[in-house]
Amino acid sequence: MNLTNYKVASKNVGPVIQEIAHFLGKCIKQLPSRQTVDNIVDRKVSIAQKHVSKIVAKESETTLYTDETRKHGHTYQTYIVTDKSQNSYLLGLQEMVNKSSQCTLDVFKEILMDISNHCKEMSDKKNFSAGYELLSNIRNTMSDRASTEKAFNTLLQGYKEEILPKIIDKYADLSEEDKAHCGRINNFFVGYTCWWEWPMFPKQP
């Protein structure tokens, strides 16, 4: 349903198809209802999330990109994962209740849960959720330098460390150094960096 990709509302898909058909001199006897379009979109999202899970789960080191924006008084957050070959996979674009780092993590958890639910057969076969596996493969984050993003990175690493025992066999037998290595997430930032933010220079008052 490509029309929805161009931000055509579900209720307007039928009328748009009708107008295009009229312009081309065609007559369409049956048009999709809003409910039909919504069902198609839901299935499209489900298929996309299954695809993401199957592909990204094979990658040992991925990077999570997050960004927040405001439109007409509403806050939205994007979550994108890239692999080593720089292939990008959109995990979700969600409206946020607020801009807090905890809300950012909670929404990300919901996305991981949705992926797990859409890939239930895969999760049951491996005895752990596909969402957890995707999270365990995240090695880096990329975001701007907003304080909420920095706080989110800290929460994300804590959440990753929390779920690792469910993913890695005999996790309890690992040394503390190995556990730290498995849970580590490198944080990278985009945007302008002042010279006094570099580690080699003392921070200015």
Side-chain angles (χ1 to χ4, degrees), residues 44-194:
K44 181 173 66 174
V45 171
S46 175
I47 292 172
Q49 289 186 330
K50 285 185 178 180
H51 173 72
V52 166
S53 177
K54 289 182 179 180
I55 299 300
V56 178
K58 298 177 182 178
E59 300 294 331
S60 58
E61 295 183 7
T62 58
T63 300
L64 175 66
Y65 293 75
T66 55
D67 191 26
E68 168 265 324
T69 187
R70 290 183 62 82
K71 294 288 185 181
H72 308 295
H74 297 272
T75 301
Y76 299 91
Q77 184 83 19
T78 56
Y79 303 84
I80 299 173
V81 164
T82 61
D83 58 24
K84 292 179 181 178
S85 301
Q86 295 302 305
N87 297 309
S88 299
Y89 306 92
L90 177 64
L91 300 184
L93 170 60
Q94 302 281 359
E95 183 174 358
M96 309 281 285
V97 176
N98 55 59
K99 297 171 58 176
S100 71
S101 56
Q102 185 61 55
C103 184
T104 304
L105 179 65
D106 290 341
V107 172
F108 186 54
K109 287 181 179 180
E110 291 177 4
I111 292 174
L112 295 179
M113 184 177 296
D114 287 342
I115 291 175
S116 297
N117 291 337
H118 289 144
C119 304
K120 192 174 185 305
E121 292 182 2
M122 183 188 305
S123 298
D124 291 343
K125 185 177 181 180
K126 295 183 177 181
N127 295 322
F128 54 78
S129 75
Y132 281 173
E133 185 173 23
L134 190 153
L135 172 60
S136 69
N137 289 333
I138 294 176
R139 179 61 64 180
N140 312 296
T141 63
M142 179 72 76
S143 65
D144 58 31
R145 290 180 173 272
S147 58
T148 52
E149 291 286 1
K150 293 180 179 180
F152 166 71
N153 291 338
T154 301
L155 293 175
L156 179 66
Q157 178 157 329
Y159 183 48
K160 180 180 178 180
E161 293 171 349
E162 178 184 326
I163 62 95
L164 283 179
K166 303 176 182 179
I167 302 293
I168 301 177
D169 291 334
K170 299 181 179 179
Y171 179 82
D173 297 336
L174 297 178
S175 66
E176 292 302 318
E177 183 179 355
D178 288 338
K179 289 179 181 179
H181 176 74
C182 292
R184 184 178 300 119
I185 297 179
N186 305 307
N187 305 134
F188 299 97
F189 302 97
V190 296
Y192 178 72
T193 302
C194 298

Side-chain angles (χ1 to χ4, degrees), residues 22-34:
H22 178 73
F23 177 77
L24 297 175
K26 303 293 183 180
C27 180
I28 298 180
K29 296 181 179 180
Q30 191 171 8
L31 294 168
S33 66
R34 176 175 181 171

Side-chain angles (χ1 to χ4, degrees), residues 9-29:
S10 298
K11 65 179 181 180
N12 295 329
V13 169
V16 168
I17 294 175
Q18 188 174 37
E19 286 297 319
I20 294 174
H22 178 73
F23 177 77
L24 297 175
K26 303 293 183 180
C27 180
I28 298 180
K29 296 181 179 180

